[in-house]
Structures are given as structure tokens and as C-alpha cells.
Amino acid sequence: MITLVCPHCGPRDATEFAYIGERTARPDPNDTTPQEWRGYLYLRSNPAGWADELWLHRAGCGRYLAVRRHRTTGAVDEVRDVGAGGEP
Amino acid sequence: MRSRRSRSSPPRYSGFGLIRRGLTGTSWPPAWRRYEPRRRYDVVVIGGGVHGLATAYYLAAQHGLTNVAVLERGYLGGGASGRNTAIIRSNYLTPEGVRFYDRSVRLYESLAAELNFNAMFSQRGHLTLAHSDSALRIMRWRAEVNRLQGVDSSVIGRAEIASLVPSLDVTDHPRFPILGGLWHPPGGIIRHDAVVWGYARAADALGVHLHQDTEVVGIDVSGGRVRGVRTNRGQIAAPAVVTCTAGWASTVCDLAGIELPITTFPLQAAVTEPVRPFLDTVVVSGTLHVYVSQSDRGELVFGAAVDPVPSYSTRGSLEFTENVAAHVLELMPALAQVRILRQWAGLCDMTPDFSPIIGPTPVEGFYVDVGWGTYGFKAGPVAGEAMAALVATGKTPELIEPFDLARFTDGRLVGERGAAAVGH
């Protein structure tokens, strides 16, 4: 079971959170090719190691959090606030 | 366990052979042989599961290509092929999907005879339950699509469900009462290890080299073409490389510089202690995220949806056991005293449209057979057959045309989620 230390609520069971996705920079829609936009929509790095993720503390403070998590061992080495909107 | 083995191919299994060996006490020879890797093969297949072995088998059996190697990092069938819940069906939602999986069901039907290996395909029927009006609506849609493609599927009511599966609670009492179901008679379960071993044995007999404990650590690409692979047992040159690596697809494709729209999620399963036979269909509930079947050994096999968080871990979680037990008991309250024996997870390579990625890639000679998500096992034979045809002839079979990698850049997604969200 994964435990995340929420900067607002303290250590909580991961079932309180929703995994949103990998943290990727959203390209400027006014200045991007369809190819780049589809890459943003669909391509993921999907490492079998450390990954930068976005989580939502759904059943807690309701904040978006940047989480660095190891996708084989489940270890978490960073949980921090990313501010409103959840942009990286 | 490196042993001296005969170079001749394994004997055909038969009733006579069984009696003769039983009476004379002769031991069975290994089902496939061990070789040192050659420096060069015509085709290298990465991944020794049902997809990889089927590809190698059909390359040899249908196209006469026998200078083929299958490279498996662990042991044959040790990945998703041995970790699924062994359910076969073709009642998908999109016409592309239905056609494709129907071909797979037909190949499974004749598999035991073709491979001379008892795969124990039991077409006991596949029943998906609807607990809401919207689920029932999608089922009517699916049944129509299925029938138009010649696949036997129909929507049935509570009374018929109660007679098919008497152990189901069809009253109004549960939190999610059963309103109806999608009944798919050709669906069923198969002995999944036997499918893997059958393909392995048949491919070996045709001269294919199966290399276990052989990990691909690099893929050589130059001039936009694949040249071969580097493994922990040396370099192997090959003009054609096929990857069939399920949950590990994106890490393997990274080696060839190919980015895939794939995220890896574990899918957990569990079996109970064996009980007397009482359930002779596959029962699926999308709303309760659970599917149940009874194996020929009497164990109840439970599966669920993929874990909510991506991971490469194949360990089970307590959360899964609690949820699956609660959901099964909602369907079949009489199972309250049955104990779960073991649980495990397999890795699913999920794509944005819940459809596979199968076909050529921007690297010439490098083919992918990945992105199967939660239904790769069902597709093993047809994917192998289609991939073998593609590699051998250079032409993409019509059956897999909709599932190429380019669909994500061209905007031609094949939305299969309606039939995939736990409709296994």
C-alpha cells in the first residue's frame, strides 16, 4: 500500500488520492503542430523506475500534488504542492 | 537445469504413447530444446508469451520461415500469458474488434488438434451482467454489432440468467440488482499455460529456437532500419525484429527509439480453494468490477479492473482482495465461507483507445504487437498469425490494418473502451 505525505494533511493512505497522470508540459495551443499536440495527448514515458506524476488529494484537501514515485518498488521520494490548476 | 537433450524433435502425444510410456516407464522428453543463440536469425521475436510464440509458430508453419528465435527474459509464459484469467470471447463493441477476436476464437477452437497439445478450451459461454439502464443499452448495441459480424451474442433477461447461473442473486435486494445480461455462447476459458507450451512445443518441432533467460538489452538501428539485438547472451543480427512484450512494451521500444502511447498498469487476479463444480459459465459484472469462472480443478478464478495507479509491480494488494471478495459476495452470497488461496498481478500495456498497436513502426523491419491492455491473451493466436503474415510478406493483413501505430498521429482511434472496461 502506498503512503503519500500530503504537505497539507500529513501521511495518508494512497486510496484517498486520485492518480491524474504523468506530469507533462502542455504546449501552447496557439503555437503548436498537430503532431506535437497528439504527442502531448498520447505519448507517455512510462518508465519502470522513477516517474514525475500529478495526483489529486480527492478525499483530503482537494489540492493537486507533484509526486515522484518509483513505478516498480512503489517508493515515494517527494510530494509537493503544485498550486491551483495542477500545471507542472 | 542445463541437461543433455536429444536433438530430434519431441514425439507426438497420443493415447497409445501415453499407455506405452505408462507401461514401460519411459520418461517424457523435454517439450522443447535448448540451443546456444545463433549469430544471425531471419526473424527475432522478443517475448516468450502466447503472442511471441504464436508469431514464431505461424512464421514456421504457414510461411516456412524457420530460422527464427524467440527471446524470453524469464521463462516461457511467465509474464501476462500465465497471469491472466484465461477467458476467451469475441463480443466486442467495434466491428474491427469483433472481427479480429472472432478469428482468434476460431483459431482457439482448432488449437489443440493443430498443436497436438491438450489446451482444454471449454466454450461454456460468457455472461456479462447489466446493473443499470446504460449498461443494458451498451449491451444491446454490442449484441447488434456482434450479430452483424456473425458472432453469437444476445441480450437476455433475469429469468434466463437465473436458469444459466442459479447461484447468482437475481433478486431486487442487492445494491446493484441484475437487470439483464449479454449472453455470448462461444466464449469460455482455456488452460492458458497449455496454450503457451503447445505453441512452444510446435514451434520447436518446426526448428524455431526458444531462448529463455535471454534478455534484450539493446536494439541496433542504423539508417532507419533494424539490424539486430544485443542480449545478455551476445549480439544477434536480424533483418526483422518483432516485439511482443506486453507490459514492458514501452521500455523495449525505447531501446529502438520508438515512443509509444502506452502506460503500464497491473491487473490483479485471485483464485479460491477448489469447490465442487457449480458454475459452468463465465460471469462478468462491469459495475462491480469483477469476473468469475470456475476452473476444471474447481477453483474459482476472480479478476477485476486494472489498478488505479500505473506500476510495474506484480505483487497483490490487500485492497484488491477486500474489494474483489465484497463484489463477488454481492453477486453470489453463498460463497461467504470460501477462502481465497492466492493472488497475483500481471502487467497490462494500456493504450488511450483500449485497442492494440500491431504492425510496422517508423523503424523499418521493427514490428510491434503491443498495447493489448487487458485482453492480450484472447488475441494471441490471431495476432501471431497476422504478425507472421506481415513479417513474411511485407503486407499488412486487413484484419490488423485499423490497429497501426500511425492512428494516434492520424486521429483514427478505435474506441474499444465500451467492451473493455472489465468486460473481459
Side-chain angles (χ1 to χ4, degrees):
Chain A
M1 193 69 77
I2 303 166
T3 300
L4 297 181
V5 184
C6 174
H8 306 285
C9 315
R12 296 299 177 96
D13 187 301
T15 52
E16 281 191 11
F17 298 77
Y19 168 77
I20 304 295
E22 269 178 36
R23 294 182 60 218
T24 47
R26 184 173 183 264
D28 181 352
N30 300 314
D31 180 25
T32 184
T33 64
Q35 193 88 5
E36 285 168 346
W37 191 255
R38 284 172 186 141
Y40 163 68
L41 284 178
Y42 300 131
L43 294 179
R44 297 294 175 262
S45 64
N46 196 33
W50 290 102
D52 290 312
E53 301 174 340
L54 189 66
W55 289 60
L56 170 69
H57 197 175
R58 186 170 49 182
C61 56
R63 301 287 286 263
Y64 282 103
L65 303 167
V67 173
R68 197 170 144 72
R69 186 177 66 95
H70 197 285
R71 289 201 179 167
T72 303
T73 65
V76 174
D77 83 346
E78 187 190 21
V79 182
R80 64 182 170 77
D81 208 326
V82 290
E87 285 298 305
Chain B
M1 37 169 255
R2 198 173 276 262
S3 63
R4 211 172 281 275
R5 286 170 185 181
S6 132
R7 292 282 118 180
S8 64
S9 63
R12 280 190 68 78
Y13 294 139
S14 66
F16 174 72
L18 184 67
I19 293 167
R20 187 173 58 83
R21 279 174 194 279
L23 291 176
T24 58
T26 30
S27 63
W28 292 94
W32 55 85
R33 292 159 286 182
R34 184 184 285 263
Y35 299 95
E36 277 310 306
R38 288 188 193 139
R39 294 301 86 189
R40 184 187 164 81
Y41 288 98
D42 291 339
V43 183
V44 161
V45 179
I46 308 172
V50 60
H51 283 252
L53 293 165
T55 301
Y57 168 73
Y58 290 116
L59 277 170
Q62 295 184 352
H63 304 280
L65 281 171
T66 55
N67 187 22
V68 174
V70 177
L71 310 181
E72 165 57 47
R73 182 172 66 168
Y75 57 94
L76 296 185
S81 290
R83 293 168 181 275
N84 59 77
T85 46
I87 298 170
I88 310 291
R89 67 180 175 93
S90 59
N91 58 352
Y92 280 73
L93 178 63
T94 62
E96 297 92 330
V98 177
R99 276 199 290 274
F100 186 78
Y101 290 95
D102 182 45
R103 174 70 187 152
S104 212
V105 167
R106 287 171 201 280
L107 286 170
Y108 268 124
E109 282 170 348
S110 58
L111 199 65
E114 178 168 354
L115 301 181
N116 179 228
F117 205 102
N118 185 6
M120 295 167 73
F121 187 17
S122 166
Q123 289 182 283
R124 55 185 63 190
H126 183 279
L127 175 65
T128 314
L129 302 172
H131 304 267
S132 69
D133 292 343
S134 62
L136 210 49
R137 185 181 151 269
I138 301 275
M139 275 174 197
R140 290 209 179 92
W141 176 4
R142 269 169 75 182
E144 288 305 317
V145 173
N146 289 183
R147 276 206 288 262
L148 284 172
Q149 301 298 330
V151 168
D152 189 0
S153 268
S154 56
V155 175
I156 59 174
R158 259 192 210 184
E160 206 170 335
I161 290 172
S163 70
L164 278 170
V165 192
S167 49
L168 275 179
D169 182 357
V170 293
T171 63
D172 281 327
H173 305 311
R175 193 162 43 130
F176 303 107
I178 293 166
L179 303 180
L182 184 65
W183 175 234
H184 176 53
I189 55 172
I190 198 164
R191 187 174 154 226
H192 53 180
D193 292 327
V195 172
V196 170
W197 298 333
Y199 272 121
R201 185 170 176 279
D204 172 275
L206 293 169
V208 171
H209 283 194
L210 309 177
H211 298 298
Q212 304 188 83
D213 297 320
T214 306
E215 181 170 4
V216 171
V217 294
I219 295 173
D220 296 322
V221 177
S222 65
R225 232 192 165 289
V226 72
R227 306 288 171 182
V229 297
R230 274 166 282 142
T231 77
N232 59 346
R233 295 172 71 193
Q235 197 141 0
I236 298 170
V241 176
V242 182
T243 180
C244 309
T245 44
W248 296 89
S250 57
T251 62
V252 171
C253 284
D254 278 348
L255 300 174
I258 294 165
E259 287 183 299
L260 292 179
I262 278 180
T263 307
T264 299
F265 287 83
L267 173 54
Q268 297 189 48
V271 295
T272 67
E273 59 188 340
V275 292
R276 289 173 69 160
F278 75 98
L279 178 63
D280 57 0
T281 64
V282 180
V283 176
V284 181
S285 167
T287 304
L288 294 173
H289 290 287
V290 71
Y291 35 102
V292 187
S293 64
Q294 187 168 24
S295 76
D296 294 307
R297 284 185 297 201
E299 298 159 329
L300 293 172
V301 183
F302 300 150
V306 293
D307 284 4
V309 181
S311 166
Y312 286 80
S313 165
T314 51
R315 294 181 61 174
S317 69
L318 178 62
E319 192 191 336
F320 164 80
T321 326
E322 287 177 341
N323 281 332
V324 83
H327 292 153
V328 167
L329 290 184
E330 240 178 273
L331 292 177
M332 300 179 184
L335 296 183
Q337 298 303 316
V338 177
R339 284 163 296 192
I340 286 179
L341 273 193
R342 58 184 184 275
Q343 66 178 122
W344 65 91
L347 300 183
C348 298
D349 36 347
M350 307 300 291
T351 56
D353 61 356
F354 287 71
S355 287
I357 305 171
I358 174 166
T361 65
V363 174
E364 206 184 325
F366 187 80
Y367 303 93
V368 289
D369 172 14
V370 301
W372 293 97
T374 57
Y375 36 78
F377 179 67
K378 296 166 183 64
V382 63
E385 187 187 53
M387 186 50 84
L390 170 57
V391 172
T393 66
K395 283 191 283 264
T396 304
E398 205 182 320
L399 215 51
I400 58 169
E401 261 172 11
F403 305 117
D404 62 341
L405 178 58
R407 75 177 183 273
F408 296 99
T409 35
D410 303 347
R412 296 180 278 107
L413 273 60
V414 185
E416 198 61 84
R417 188 165 194 176
V422 191
H424 300 272

